[in-house]
Amino acid sequence: MDIDVLTLFPEMIGPVVGASMLGRAAKNGILSVNVVNIRDFTQNKHRKTDDTPFGGGAGMVMSAQPVFDALRSVNAEQKRILYMSPRGRKLDRQLISDLSAEQKLVFLCGHYEGIDERIIDYWQPEEVSIGDYILTGGELAAMVVIDAVARLIPSVLGNAASHEEESVYSGLIEYPQYTKPRVYEGMEVPEVLLSGNHRQIHLWKFEKSCEITKERRPDLWQAFLKEERELDKEEKKILQKFRD
Ligand code: ADE
């Protein structure tokens, strides 16, 4: 997947996409992130990228020209463009999964009080919000999306089984996890996880996921119950326990 990130703060992006799983994906040629500094496209001698809003009001607005030219420089006409903005569509699993099927994506990160509306009118980006709060800019939001999308690209996660397992429980919050040692400061790992009985272990995990989801995220739980899932007899029994 080829990703262009258009930003006024290119130094924010590199360290994040160079680290951890994203870094590995980049090294393996699965993911390529091209960071574009919008300031490089200014045509004024002070390299100014913003100006005061027409009609007055607080703050500054990002000017159309450098953003237009930065978008043209990455051939954004032919790519899916995402504009990170608190007024956008709320990010969710569906959008992430949808984006992970794309070959090319462009992220436009705004700053200040907003960007000249003609950028939106002309380029028709999809506006995406990562939540109902205001960040100082779209960079962190873009990195959230890139991270979540990248791990859905086959072979990025490394361990294919992790995906499979996630899909069984997808829509549910994850069950508790433990690693060595078996006893830490007197606290023991649940016995079933040490049993080697894969069926019992699976059922335990499923039950825990149901329990935690129902308790903490009733919205996700209701959605999960509505989905027509292919569950076996014992899984159905567990589900039944948590139905009201
Ligand atoms: N830019 C500023 N706040 C944002 C948010 N919540 N989501 C996406 N982009 C943003």
Side-chain angles (χ1 to χ4, degrees):
M1 180 184 285
D2 291 323
I3 296 179
D4 302 298
V5 183
L6 277 53
T7 168
L8 286 171
F9 297 91
E11 67 278 11
M12 285 179 76
I13 314 291
V16 174
V17 297
S20 185
M21 234 145 61
L22 287 181
R24 203 173 341 123
K27 266 203 201 92
N28 296 338
I30 297 159
L31 182 72
S32 147
V33 181
N34 171 39
V35 184
V36 175
N37 188 347
I38 296 169
R39 199 174 299 281
D40 290 344
F41 293 86
T42 51
Q43 290 174 350
N44 59 79
K45 70 169 187 275
H46 299 296
R47 306 225 305 153
K48 220 166 100 91
T49 55
D50 61 344
D51 218 320
T52 51
F54 278 123
M60 301 291 270
V61 176
M62 263 167 82
S63 311
Q65 176 271 317
V67 175
F68 265 64
D69 288 348
L71 283 164
R72 289 196 172 113
S73 80
V74 298
N75 294 319
E77 302 84 351
Q78 285 147 41
K79 302 177 180 176
R80 191 163 171 182
I81 308 171
L82 306 173
Y83 169 50
M84 308 314 297
S85 148
R87 70 179 197 183
R89 161 183 173 184
K90 186 95 70 74
L91 184 67
D92 60 11
R93 276 195 299 150
Q94 180 58 50
L95 181 56
I96 295 286
S97 150
D98 192 35
L99 293 174
S100 71
E102 298 284 343
Q103 280 307 308
K104 296 173 196 293
L105 292 175
V106 179
F107 288 86
L108 174 60
C109 306
H111 253 266
Y112 311 116
E113 303 305 309
I115 65 177
D116 192 306
E117 191 69 17
R118 288 166 293 190
I119 298 166
I120 316 258
D121 292 343
Y122 182 88
W123 292 92
Q124 304 267 308
E126 289 167 62
E127 294 188 52
V128 177
S129 164
I130 64 163
D132 292 335
Y133 39 82
I134 315 281
L135 303 166
T136 56
E139 285 76 11
L140 289 169
M143 287 187 276
V144 165
V145 180
I146 292 168
D147 189 279
V149 165
R151 61 186 287 289
L152 291 190
I153 302 171
S155 68
V156 166
L157 209 54
N159 172 12
S162 301
H163 263 319
E164 249 168 61
E165 179 153 305
E166 266 186 21
S167 71
V168 179
Y169 303 94
S170 77
L172 294 177
I173 294 178
E174 204 172 17
Y175 48 80
Q177 304 257 36
Y178 302 87
T179 186
K180 292 182 198 67
R182 284 177 174 217
V183 183
Y184 179 70
E185 295 198 354
M187 296 175 280
E188 292 178 13
V189 172
E191 194 65 37
V192 60
L193 297 179
L194 311 172
S195 68
N197 183 332
H198 296 297
R199 181 73 193 152
Q200 287 310 314
I201 291 172
H202 163 70
L203 292 173
W204 180 86
K205 289 177 174 177
F206 185 65
E207 177 162 355
K208 284 290 174 194
S209 283
C210 291
E211 185 185 316
I212 296 171
T213 307
K214 185 179 178 191
E215 183 188 307
R216 298 192 193 169
R217 292 292 305 273
D219 54 329
L220 291 182
W221 177 245
Q222 287 309 320
F224 183 79
L225 290 180
K226 282 204 191 90
E227 283 175 35
E228 298 276 313
R229 278 171 187 271
E230 282 200 19
L231 300 176
D232 63 41
K233 227 170 120 186
E234 286 166 300
E235 288 167 340
K236 277 188 192 147
K237 233 168 104 183
I238 289 171
L239 207 62
Q240 203 51 42
K241 246 176 62 177
F242 292 100
R243 281 185 197 271
D244 287 323

